[in-house]
Amino acid sequence: MAIQVGEKAPDFELKDNHGRAVKLSDFRGRQNVVLLFYPFAFTGVCTGELCELRDNLPQFSDRDTQLLAVSNDSIHTLRVFAEQEGFEYPLLSDFWPHGETSRAYGVFDEDKGCAVRGTFVIDKEGVVRWTVVNGLPDARDLNEYVKALDTL
């Protein structure tokens, strides 16, 4: 079961595509966070979603929001993916312990061994204010994130 609106977002520390540690709690009191889980780097729907976010990054930064994208890929895979696609936001690796953060948010598919498409809009106090969880083949709508951010 995915984390629900009104719940405190579970804290985590994951390595980004450059090997730097990123903690959710580092943004508390400073910025909202859009936490986006996706199945795998280099796949069609995932690449499309992340490129759309890349192309619309000001919609997040203008709303005092940090975008964090999480997959179960290794940091090395994420580094190449980010360089190839020109991503300027952190890609976080939930590789080891495999899927620990994805499980904490209730979006890990045990049969497939990866996260499903879960998105959590987290306010500056660390509370989940909006969420959507889609199956593996179903892309999410960026405009829905923006609408949710506008309510904060």
Side-chain angles (χ1 to χ4, degrees):
M1 178 80 151
I3 296 294
Q4 299 296 304
V5 171
E7 292 184 47
K8 194 80 157 172
D11 198 16
F12 59 81
E13 181 175 329
L14 297 172
K15 299 277 186 186
D16 73 5
N17 48 299
H18 298 288
R20 295 178 294 228
V22 175
K23 288 184 190 177
L24 179 63
S25 57
D26 288 345
F27 299 98
R28 241 177 241 138
R30 296 186 12 227
Q31 285 183 294
N32 303 307
V33 172
V34 171
L35 182 62
L36 174 107
F37 290 88
Y38 63 100
F40 294 111
F42 298 107
T43 58
V45 176
C46 296
T47 300
E49 282 187 314
L50 296 179
C51 286
E52 183 179 20
L53 294 169
R54 173 200 65 205
D55 297 344
N56 291 282
L57 208 49
Q59 291 196 49
F60 298 95
S61 58
D62 291 352
R63 288 168 174 81
D64 201 21
T65 300
Q66 176 64 54
L67 176 62
L68 300 174
V70 181
S71 78
N72 304 115
D73 296 298
S74 72
I75 62 170
H76 310 292
T77 300
L78 296 178
R79 182 176 304 124
V80 173
F81 186 44
E83 288 172 2
Q84 178 179 306
E85 299 298 339
F87 298 140
E88 296 181 10
Y89 52 88
L91 302 184
L92 305 180
S93 174
D94 190 18
F95 184 71
W96 198 258
H98 189 70
E100 181 177 67
T101 300
S102 305
R103 282 183 181 92
Y105 279 80
V107 296
F108 190 78
D109 183 322
E110 296 291 340
D111 293 332
K112 303 273 193 245
C114 65
V116 296
R117 296 180 196 287
T119 304
F120 302 86
V121 173
I122 302 166
D123 68 15
K124 292 178 183 178
E125 305 312 311
V127 176
V128 175
R129 294 298 175 192
W130 183 86
T131 185
V132 66
V133 178
N134 288 3
L136 293 178
D138 302 321
R140 293 159 284 196
D141 183 352
L142 168 91
N143 294 320
E144 295 298 319
Y145 311 164
V146 174
K147 284 183 203 172
L149 288 169
D150 285 342
T151 67
L152 299 182

